[in-house]
Amino acid sequence: MSKSTKKVISIVVTILLFALSLVTIVPFIWMFVSSFAPNSEIVKITGGIFPAPTTLDNYANIQKTFNFFRLFANSVFIATVKTVLVIYISAVLGYVFSKMHFRGRNVLFGAVLSTMMLPWAVTIIPQYEMMVQFGWLDTYRSLIVPGLVSGFGVFLFRQSIGSISDEIIEAAKLDGAGDARIFHQIILPMSRNSIAALAIFTFLWNWEDYLWPFLMITDSDKMLLSVGLKMFNGQYGTDYGGLFAATSLAIIPVIIVYMVFQKQFIAGIATGSGK
């Protein structure tokens, strides 16, 4: 292939990637600009693509529409707690399935992976019945406990930890280190890429989850932000300006998490994709 052909292909690929990035970014820009516009400006048919940003009332009134900051704090708490617990449990199981040898290990690992094959919608009714029997409705336990074991997380850590040399672990054992010390002082620090990747995915999944929190929580003080945003939808209309303002603030934690872990994110996915 000649240099001119390679250059043409590179230009075409660059243009395609730029076009795809615009398709992804422009709706977010439109939403952010619209959060500074009144409803009349947002829903009008005539005019330009973007509404004219002329007001800050949408941001000033979201706390009046509903207890935005309380719901925001609830979502941060649930997403953070679940992310930390899922990472730790996935790392422990990944270490067990990767470095410990016992009868039935592969069968158990296959059972964990099989949970990834089931559509989540299939388990909604059984899980709901279990929460009723446990008396966990309208409690945060119903949001945290059912999702503590992640098949994807276990698989990711098993692949990542499997690439760690057995000689390192054997040397630590010769120095008198137990499994708990090896896991916390050797395995976890060497798995930071996988931790970053799973942290981003888990936080995002829990931050944007709507259906399960909607079914479990009815107390307005315990409600999550993803469910609370529906309060902008009235019987006869929708406060689009307030909805866009609240949504713009709601994506801030996701952006922060990604910015914190972005350096390890790609490396973590590459590590977990194969041994």
Side-chain angles (χ1 to χ4, degrees):
M1 186 180 295
S2 63
K3 291 184 178 180
S4 59
T5 304
K6 291 182 180 180
K7 187 175 181 180
V8 171
I9 294 175
S10 177
I11 293 174
V12 171
V13 171
T14 302
I15 293 173
L16 288 175
L17 291 176
F18 181 75
L20 290 174
S21 66
L22 284 179
V23 172
T24 304
I25 294 174
V26 167
F28 288 98
I29 297 176
W30 186 89
M31 179 190 71
F32 181 70
V33 173
S34 298
S35 68
F36 295 97
N39 254 21
S40 58
E41 182 71 20
I42 296 173
V43 300
K44 74 176 184 179
I45 299 177
T46 59
I49 298 177
F50 295 95
T54 58
T55 181
L56 295 174
D57 290 343
N58 296 327
Y59 286 91
N61 294 332
I62 55 175
Q63 184 66 18
K64 298 178 183 178
T65 303
F66 67 107
N67 197 353
F68 174 83
F69 294 107
R70 176 62 181 268
L71 272 59
F72 186 90
N74 293 343
S75 293
V76 170
F77 171 75
I78 292 297
T80 302
V81 169
K82 288 192 68 175
T83 299
V84 172
L85 292 176
V86 167
I87 289 174
Y88 187 80
I89 292 174
S90 298
V92 170
L93 293 178
Y95 176 61
V96 170
F97 286 127
S98 178
K99 296 301 183 182
M100 294 186 177
H101 302 281
F102 54 90
R103 183 177 299 177
R105 181 183 67 168
N106 293 332
V107 175
L108 288 175
F109 181 65
V112 173
L113 289 185
S114 67
T115 61
M116 299 172 60
M117 313 300 173
L118 292 174
W120 184 77
V122 174
T123 65
I124 290 180
I125 295 178
Q127 286 191 39
Y128 184 85
E129 292 295 332
M130 291 173 64
M131 297 302 105
V132 172
Q133 293 296 325
F134 295 160
W136 286 3
L137 289 182
D138 218 22
T139 68
Y140 285 157
R141 284 173 292 179
S142 62
L143 300 182
I144 296 174
V145 175
L148 288 182
V149 179
S150 167
F152 170 74
V154 174
F155 171 77
L156 184 68
F157 274 98
R158 182 180 184 270
Q159 299 300 96
S160 173
I161 296 173
S163 63
I164 298 175
S165 175
D166 291 335
E167 285 74 11
I168 297 177
I169 298 176
E170 293 298 329
K173 289 182 178 179
L174 289 175
D175 288 337
D179 287 325
R181 185 175 180 184
I182 292 173
F183 173 74
H184 291 96
Q185 295 187 7
I186 297 177
I187 300 300
L188 281 182
M190 297 182 69
S191 303
R192 58 184 179 273
N193 291 335
S194 297
I195 291 175
L198 187 59
I200 291 176
F201 282 124
T202 305
F203 189 90
L204 179 60
W205 291 336
N206 286 284
W207 184 262
E208 66 182 10
D209 188 19
Y210 172 82
L211 181 57
W212 189 246
F214 176 75
L215 294 174
M216 291 294 103
I217 304 298
T218 56
D219 188 343
S220 59
D221 289 333
K222 298 179 181 178
M223 196 174 293
L224 302 190
L225 185 58
S226 58
V227 179
L229 290 176
K230 69 181 178 63
M231 294 182 183
F232 286 100
N233 296 323
Q235 183 176 1
Y236 301 105
T238 300
D239 180 10
Y240 290 107
L243 177 62
F244 294 151
T247 305
S248 297
L249 294 177
I251 65 176
I252 292 177
V254 178
I255 296 175
I256 293 175
V257 170
Y258 181 77
M259 290 179 64
V260 170
F261 294 111
Q262 63 176 327
K263 291 183 179 180
Q264 294 84 22
F265 177 68
I266 300 299
I269 294 298
T271 301
S273 63
K275 228 176 187 181

